[in-house]
């Protein structure tokens, strides 16, 4: 076999394959090593090849395991070794959480341009020209900004300029004495739940604050609760494209992954660029749970009344809000430019997560239903709603913002390109 002349046309085939071959090389006597190799049995040859492949596979597995462990342990990338706070303030010591009110007095005012909003500004002494980080806050559906006023003011006292939208606040209930008022009530709820309009308000407020002399350039956070939580994600995605580096971070509490936005928040959560995202939710929230059906504790979320309400007001029959906060996290964690953190609480009511008491909810319910004509029965229905919602959800849930407003740097101790999910029982 080794002395057989090369087949005819081999030179031509070599030329066709791009190999230069002018003549056939003269035959030579094979070496001892070549004769030994030629006499190896097929079984031995296969064994050698198998051992080589096994060694290569083992090397690949070792490399993959090392990479996986480094990611699982959150090992920092070179040059990214320091924890990153959501939005630093000079008035907060990074080594300890901020508790209670801060060192600044706060000036509270109302503005009408670009639209109706509350403005909280840290007070400065005469001649002082300090600049502060800024926060845009977006309220929940039917939840007026003054419902959150205590912790918004507390936040400002720690050295933040805070602006809170006061549009889309008033929800109306129908009157039993006017059957046609149901249509006014439906129209009102549809207008108040218009996510596109709320996103526009957030964008206007970001422009308003960025133009102030006392706001640090490119040092702003967007914070929202419920419907506002979905709105700030959608707004941050737009700003990441139109105004890169303007928004440092987004904090969303019990976010609504709703259907009335131009894009469902979970579908754009991965488009935030280098903006960090913190998501807080409760697995037992009856309105916007981390995932799963709404109203699960009582079963009302799967009732025909619930589906009718969803279709009439929100134009959807999805009683999971397209996967909820978990879907937002899943959509965002592929963003390798920023931190994405999801914190799940075992219990906690939809309003308790935002520091709103049951008494405040009852007061708001009484205001909303004042024109219903139910008189003393109003309180019965309000108490029933609180009992089946907040009390079922909360157990002994804390007010997250009471002690440490916007101080979640300990939760964001991972570095860029990592996503964190934590569950707190």
């Amino acid at each position: 076999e080794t002395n057989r002349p090369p087949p005819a046309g081999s030179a031509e085939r070599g030329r066709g394959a791009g190999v230069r071959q002018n003549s056939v090389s003269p035959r030579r006597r094979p070496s001892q090593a070549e004769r030994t190799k030629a006499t190896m049995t097929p079984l031995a040859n296969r064994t050698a090849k198998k051992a080589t492949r096994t060694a290569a596979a083992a090397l690949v597995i070792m490399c993959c395991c090392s990479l996986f462990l480094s990611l699982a342990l959150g090992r920092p990338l070179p040059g990214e070794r320091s924890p990153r706070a959501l939005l630093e303030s000079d008035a907060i010591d990074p080594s300890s959480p901020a508790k209670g009110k801060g060192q600044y007095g706060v000036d509270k005012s109302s503005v009408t341009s670009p639209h109706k909003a509350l403005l909280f500004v840290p007070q400065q002494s005469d001649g002082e020209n300090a600049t502060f980080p800024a926060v845009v806050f977006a309220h929940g559906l039917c939840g007026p900004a003054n419902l959150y006023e205590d912790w918004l003011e507390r936040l400002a006292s720690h050295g933040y300029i805070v602006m809170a939208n006061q549009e889309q606040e008033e929800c109306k209930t129908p009157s039993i004495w006017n059957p046609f008022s149901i249509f006014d009530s439906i129209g009102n709820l549809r207008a108040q739940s218009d996510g596109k309009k709320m996103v526009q308000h957030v964008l206007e407020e970001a422009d308003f604050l960025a133009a102030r002399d006392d706001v640090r350039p490119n040092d702003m956070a967007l914070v929202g609760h419920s419907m506002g939580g979905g709105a700030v994600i959608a707004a941050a995605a737009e700003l990441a494209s139109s105004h890169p580096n303007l928004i440092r971070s987004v904090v969303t509490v019990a976010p609504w992954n709703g259907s009335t936005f131009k894009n469902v928040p979970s579908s754009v959560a991965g488009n935030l660029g280098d903006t960090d995202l913190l998501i807080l939710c409760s697995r037992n929230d009856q309105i916007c749970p981390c995932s799963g059906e709404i109203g699960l504790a009582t079963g009302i979320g799967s009732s025909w009344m619930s589906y009718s309400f969803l279709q009439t007001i929100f134009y959807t029959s999805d009683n999971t809000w397209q996967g909820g906060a978990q879907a937002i996290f899943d959509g965002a964690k592929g963003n390798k430019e920023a931190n994405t953190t999801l914190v799940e609480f075992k219990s906690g009511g939809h309003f308790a997560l935002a520091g709103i008491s049951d008494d405040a909810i009852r007061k708001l319910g009484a205001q909303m239903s004042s024109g219903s004509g139910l008189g003393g029965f109003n309180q019965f229905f309000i108490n029933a709603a609180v009992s089946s919602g907040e009390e079922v959800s909360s157990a002994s849930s804390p007010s997250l913002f009471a002690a440490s407003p916007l101080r979640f740097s300990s939760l964001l101790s991972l570095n860029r390109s990592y996503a964190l999910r934590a569950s707190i029982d």
Side-chain angles (χ1 to χ4, degrees):
E1 293 291 330
T2 56
N3 293 327
R4 179 177 297 172
S10 62
E12 286 76 6
R13 287 198 298 272
R15 284 191 293 271
V19 179
R20 185 172 181 179
Q21 190 171 358
N22 296 326
S23 62
V24 178
S25 301
R27 289 193 299 249
R28 64 179 180 83
R29 187 179 182 84
S31 66
Q32 180 63 35
E34 290 172 333
R35 288 197 298 271
T36 301
K37 183 177 179 181
T39 57
M40 288 179 66
T41 63
L43 179 60
N45 196 26
R46 288 196 299 271
T47 302
K49 291 182 177 180
K50 184 176 181 181
T52 302
R53 289 195 297 268
T54 302
L59 181 61
V60 171
I61 292 173
M62 289 175 62
C63 293
C64 291
C65 287
S66 298
L67 178 61
F68 173 78
L69 286 174
S70 68
L71 292 175
L73 295 174
R75 183 176 299 167
L77 297 174
E80 291 287 347
R81 297 183 181 278
S82 300
R84 293 170 9 118
L86 288 167
L87 194 64
E88 294 94 345
S89 168
D90 294 338
I92 295 179
D93 181 2
S95 64
S96 62
K99 296 181 180 180
K101 289 190 176 182
Q103 69 185 52
Y104 288 98
V106 177
D107 289 329
K108 173 191 168 185
S109 61
S110 297
V111 299
T112 57
S113 178
H115 50 257
K116 189 178 179 182
L118 292 176
L119 189 64
F120 302 86
V121 180
Q123 294 176 353
Q124 301 189 56
S125 58
D126 292 340
E128 187 179 2
N129 293 311
T131 58
F132 303 96
V135 175
V136 172
F137 176 76
H139 61 74
L141 175 61
C142 303
N146 58 22
L147 197 63
Y148 310 84
E149 185 173 329
D150 286 346
W151 70 262
L152 292 177
E153 184 172 349
R154 187 182 300 115
L155 184 61
S157 74
H158 286 282
Y160 298 92
I161 295 177
V162 183
M163 189 172 190
N165 168 34
Q166 286 188 294
E167 301 290 346
Q168 296 176 269
E169 287 187 337
E170 298 180 8
C171 293
K172 300 176 182 178
T173 57
S175 170
I176 60 173
W177 307 113
N178 180 8
F180 296 101
S181 66
I182 184 66
F183 299 106
D184 291 335
S185 179
I186 291 174
N188 169 257
L189 279 174
R190 285 176 175 173
Q192 303 309 302
S193 62
D194 186 345
K196 294 182 287 295
K197 184 183 295 183
M198 182 168 281
V199 170
Q200 183 59 38
H201 290 147
V202 173
L203 297 175
E204 291 172 355
E205 289 159 19
D207 285 340
F208 177 87
L209 291 175
R212 288 177 62 99
D213 293 335
D214 54 356
V215 170
R216 293 177 187 168
N218 301 329
D219 210 6
M220 189 182 303
L222 306 182
V223 181
H225 172 233
S226 192
M227 179 179 173
V232 294
I233 294 173
E238 291 194 29
L239 290 170
S241 175
S242 62
H243 296 75
N245 305 316
L246 176 63
I247 305 302
R248 278 278 307 279
S249 58
V250 172
V251 180
T252 177
V253 183
W256 181 48
N257 194 33
S259 55
T260 66
F261 299 102
K262 179 181 179 181
N263 297 294
V264 176
S266 58
S267 69
V268 297
N271 302 336
L272 303 189
D274 63 354
T275 299
D276 291 329
L277 173 61
L278 173 62
I279 308 165
L280 302 170
C281 65
S282 166
R283 295 197 294 268
N284 207 30
D285 187 335
Q286 299 302 299
I287 298 176
C288 293
C290 296
S291 61
E293 295 180 2
I294 61 175
L296 194 59
T298 60
I300 193 172
S302 299
S303 67
W304 68 267
M305 291 185 297
S306 176
Y307 283 114
S308 177
F309 182 77
L310 292 174
Q311 291 169 349
T312 301
I313 305 301
F314 304 117
Y315 309 102
T316 182
S317 58
D318 188 343
N319 65 349
T320 70
W321 302 133
Q322 290 72 233
Q326 179 63 52
I328 294 173
F329 177 71
D330 291 339
K333 65 184 180 181
N335 180 11
K336 302 303 182 183
E337 297 183 56
N339 288 321
T340 300
T341 305
L342 169 64
V343 181
E344 289 186 348
F345 291 85
K346 180 180 179 180
S347 63
H350 186 70
F351 298 96
L353 288 178
I356 301 171
S357 68
D358 289 356
D359 288 341
I361 299 170
R362 290 187 175 94
K363 183 178 179 180
L364 175 63
Q367 292 173 352
M368 290 174 54
S369 58
S370 59
S372 65
L374 291 174
F377 287 101
N378 266 347
Q379 198 60 46
F380 171 79
F381 290 110
I382 293 169
N383 289 336
V386 173
S387 176
S388 63
E390 288 297 287
E391 292 179 2
V392 166
S393 304
S394 292
S396 58
S397 63
S399 170
L400 296 183
F401 292 98
S404 184
L406 206 65
R407 276 291 296 133
F408 298 104
S409 59
S410 59
L411 296 176
L412 284 180
S413 59
L414 295 183
N415 294 276
R416 286 182 181 272
S417 302
Y418 291 102
L420 168 70
R421 174 177 174 176
S423 294
I424 299 177
D425 292 337

